[in-house]
Amino acid sequence: MQKQESLQSNRIKPLTIKTPLYYDESISSWLIRAALNQGCDILTFTQFYWPDYRLWTYDVDKGFNHIDGQVHKDMAILADMHYRAFNSKTLMSFAERMGLSDSSKQINIPWTQPLTKRNRRALLGYQYCPLCMHSDKEARLKLSWRFTWTLYCVQHQIKLQSTCTQCEQPYQPQLLEANMRYINHCHSCKSKLAQ
C-alpha cells in the first residue's frame, strides 16, 4: 500500500506554471486558478490528475481527506507546499480547530455557506468582493467568504456579492473556460466582475 502511494506521489510534479496557494485562499479558488494558468478548463485539469473522482460534485473547500487523503497530497505537490500546510486550508481543518467537528470523517460543517450543486452547476453563487477581484493576477476566493457570518469584505468594507453584476447569474467560477484566463470573470456573460 505504501509503495503504491509513493508511486502515485512520484507521478505528480509541481505545476509547470507555478500557482501558489495564497494564505487566505480557498482550495476551490486555487484549483480554478491553477487550471486557468495551465491553459486548460477546470474539469480537464481535475480529470487529468484525479480521473477516479468527479471532484467538482463535492464541496472542494471541505477538503478530500474524508474521501481520499492522496488527493490532498497530490494537491500539495502541485501547489509546491508542505502537505500539512495545504491540509490546514480546508473548511474541515478550520472546523476542527474551532471545536466544531471532532472527526475528519464528518462532512457536515456548521456555519458555512452551502453550495447547492447538481453536478458542477450550483443554485447559489460563490461569494466575492468586487474590489478584491478587480486585479486579474491577484483575484482569488477567500476561505473566510464561505462562512455564514461573513457578509462584508474586511479589507474594503463592502457587501459581498454572489451574482454577476452584469447578467445577475450566480457566480460559478468552476464553470469558467480556459480562454477566460482569470477567476474574476462570469462564466455566463464572460464579463469581468465589477462593482
Side-chain angles (χ1 to χ4, degrees), residues 17-34 37 61 75-76 78-82 85-90 97 132-133 135-145 155 181-183:
I17 299 172
K18 297 213 181 278
T19 306
L21 176 65
Y22 292 106
Y23 77 96
D24 58 351
E25 186 174 18
S26 68
I27 291 176
S28 57
S29 174
W30 173 79
L31 275 171
I32 294 164
R33 287 187 323 101
N37 278 346
D61 295 330
M75 287 181 184
L78 292 172
D80 199 18
M81 64 188 300
H82 193 275
F86 188 90
N87 209 31
S88 70
K89 305 289 187 181
T90 66
R97 288 192 307 267
C132 287
M133 299 292 268
S135 170
D136 289 337
K137 291 185 178 179
E138 293 179 16
R140 63 185 176 274
L141 298 171
K142 296 181 181 180
L143 187 63
S144 62
W145 294 344
Q155 181 181 356
R181 186 70 180 99
Y182 298 106
I183 195 171

Side-chain angles (χ1 to χ4, degrees), residues 5 10 14 24 34-36 48 50 61 79-80 85 95 111 123 125 137 141 153 167 173 183 187-188 192-193:
E5 281 183 14
N10 287 337
D24 58 351
L36 295 175
F48 176 78
W50 306 284
D61 295 330
D80 199 18
W111 306 107
L123 297 176
K137 291 185 178 179
L141 298 171
C153 173
C167 68
I183 195 171
H187 80 283
S188 181
K192 187 173 178 178
L193 301 174

Side-chain angles (χ1 to χ4, degrees), residues 17-85:
I17 299 172
K18 297 213 181 278
T19 306
L21 176 65
Y22 292 106
Y23 77 96
D24 58 351
E25 186 174 18
S26 68
I27 291 176
S28 57
S29 174
W30 173 79
L31 275 171
I32 294 164
R33 287 187 323 101
L36 295 175
N37 278 346
Q38 307 315 305
C40 65
D41 294 342
I42 292 99
L43 190 59
T44 303
F45 182 82
T46 55
Q47 282 296 300
F48 176 78
Y49 286 107
W50 306 284
D52 296 338
Y53 299 102
R54 296 175 60 213
L55 295 188
W56 291 106
T57 61
Y58 301 99
D59 184 344
V60 176
D61 295 330
K62 287 182 179 178
F64 296 98
N65 283 335
H66 61 285
I67 298 165
D68 183 352
Q70 187 61 46
V71 173
H72 268 207
K73 291 175 184 169
D74 293 348
M75 287 181 184
I77 293 168
L78 292 172
D80 199 18
M81 64 188 300
H82 193 275
Y83 169 71
R84 284 192 200 119

Side-chain angles (χ1 to χ4, degrees), residues 141-192:
L141 298 171
K142 296 181 181 180
L143 187 63
S144 62
W145 294 344
R146 286 294 311 278
F147 300 114
T148 55
W149 60 73
T150 306
L151 302 175
Y152 289 85
C153 173
V154 174
Q155 181 181 356
H156 296 108
Q157 303 297 310
I158 62 171
K159 189 173 189 219
L160 297 177
Q161 298 179 24
S162 61
T163 58
C164 173
T165 54
Q166 306 298 317
C167 68
E168 298 185 1
Q169 290 295 311
Y171 172 55
Q172 299 185 66
Q174 76 279 9
L175 298 177
L176 286 171
E177 296 171 0
N179 62 351
M180 295 312 302
R181 186 70 180 99
Y182 298 106
I183 195 171
N184 59 353
H185 287 80
C186 174
H187 80 283
S188 181
C189 70
K190 314 296 186 211
S191 63
K192 187 173 178 178

